[in-house]
Amino acid sequence: NAGVTQTPKFRILKIGQSMTLQCAQDMNHNYMYWYRQDPGMGLKLIYYSVGAGITDKGEVPNGYNVSRSTTEDFPLRLELAAPSQTSVYFCASTTRTGRGGLNTEAFFGQGTRLTVV
Amino acid sequence: GENVEQHPSTLSVQEGDSAVIKCTYSDSASNYFPWYKQELGKRPQLIIDIRSNVGEKKDQRIAVTLNKTAKHFSLHITETQPEDSAVYFCAAMTPGTYKYIFGTGTRLKVLA
């Protein structure tokens, strides 16, 4: 049972480079999220998706892009990397359950530690 | 949009004592309040959650209380153990937004 899988685990980028952080889940969850966690800080929502083909901005979307072509995958794209994007990035997914569509636990990937130098 | 404040940012307790972490939220429509534990270098994992139709929920040594009128909820850990040392995050979700908004975290240290 893989859950939420993120790749890579670590990456060092030079200023101005681009990269894609990969996230895949095998739980058939509709809802997926990207968070960043700066050292000693909380989780800030970058982008989220409520289903294939639907994405929306979170609290800190500038400098990032996402796509959701399938239910399973939710990649995060960094264009023109900047030192301010040095952080740990977490992908998460969740579903809703029951007749009322109740919110449930969000499952997190193991994180991607990104350093921009 | 929803905003979640969490206090304290750090908390040290003696082993065996209780620990309490408090969060306040801004959107009175929020109806789901999970708590996550994040050990050093690990991913956040759910430890307990509460819905707005319940005032308190317990699971062994941990409990969560919710005061909808005051828009705050708290995590209570009794008989703390060294393995409880971690960062704890509260979160809130508002119906229809599909977004988990997290608090800033509390670093709990349990001193042996």
Side-chain angles (χ1 to χ4, degrees):
Chain A
N1 187 4
V4 180
T5 303
Q6 289 182 238
T7 55
K9 291 184 180 179
F10 305 94
R11 183 72 185 269
I12 298 175
L13 277 182
K14 293 185 178 179
I15 295 172
Q17 287 186 321
S18 301
M19 77 164 293
T20 299
L21 282 65
Q22 301 291 343
C23 176
Q25 53 90 11
D26 62 359
M27 297 173 283
N28 200 33
H29 285 173
N30 283 331
Y31 307 96
M32 296 189 73
Y33 309 85
W34 274 106
Y35 290 92
R36 61 176 286 174
Q37 185 176 33
D38 298 335
M41 302 295 285
L43 297 157
K44 290 292 186 182
L45 181 64
I46 306 171
Y47 269 95
Y48 67 104
S49 170
V50 301
I54 306 170
T55 62
D56 207 348
K57 296 177 180 178
E59 302 166 281
V60 290
N62 292 343
Y64 307 94
N65 277 300
V66 293
S67 60
R68 185 93 182 271
S69 57
T70 67
T71 299
E72 294 78 19
D73 300 299
F74 190 39
L76 177 72
R77 177 81 176 166
L78 278 72
E79 305 281 2
L80 299 175
S84 60
Q85 293 179 305
T86 294
S87 190
V88 178
Y89 291 83
F90 286 100
C91 178
S93 74
T94 189
T95 187
R96 308 185 87 184
T97 187
R99 294 171 62 184
L102 298 175
N103 300 314
T104 60
E105 172 183 5
F107 292 87
F108 284 81
Q110 75 273 34
T112 295
R113 185 174 296 275
L114 175 67
T115 302
V116 182
V117 296
Chain B
E2 176 65 279
N3 183 51
V4 179
E5 294 187 357
Q6 183 172 347
H7 299 281
S9 57
T10 60
L11 178 61
S12 294
V13 299
Q14 290 293 132
E15 182 178 359
D17 287 350
S18 295
V20 180
I21 303 170
K22 300 180 179 180
C23 288
T24 59
Y25 59 99
S26 61
D27 191 338
S28 57
S30 291
N31 66 350
Y32 178 63
F33 307 93
W35 285 89
Y36 286 81
K37 176 182 180 182
Q38 185 180 29
E39 297 177 349
L40 189 62
K42 301 286 185 64
R43 73 190 78 187
Q45 292 191 297
L46 182 77
I47 54 171
I48 196 167
D49 57 10
I50 192 167
R51 303 188 189 280
S52 58
N53 59 347
V54 176
E56 183 176 5
K57 184 177 179 181
K58 289 184 179 180
D59 183 3
Q60 300 182 1
R61 295 187 298 106
I62 60 174
V64 57
T65 58
L66 172 65
N67 183 328
K68 288 190 294 182
T69 303
K71 291 190 285 187
H72 67 70
F73 56 112
S74 299
L75 177 71
H76 304 255
I77 306 174
T78 59
E79 300 173 14
T80 53
Q81 301 168 2
E83 53 265 37
D84 294 329
S85 295
V87 178
Y88 292 81
F89 292 98
C90 62
M93 178 177 264
T94 305
T97 68
Y98 312 108
K99 294 185 287 187
Y100 288 93
I101 301 299
F102 284 84
T104 49
T106 297
R107 183 174 300 278
L108 174 65
K109 295 181 182 178
V110 179
L111 307 171

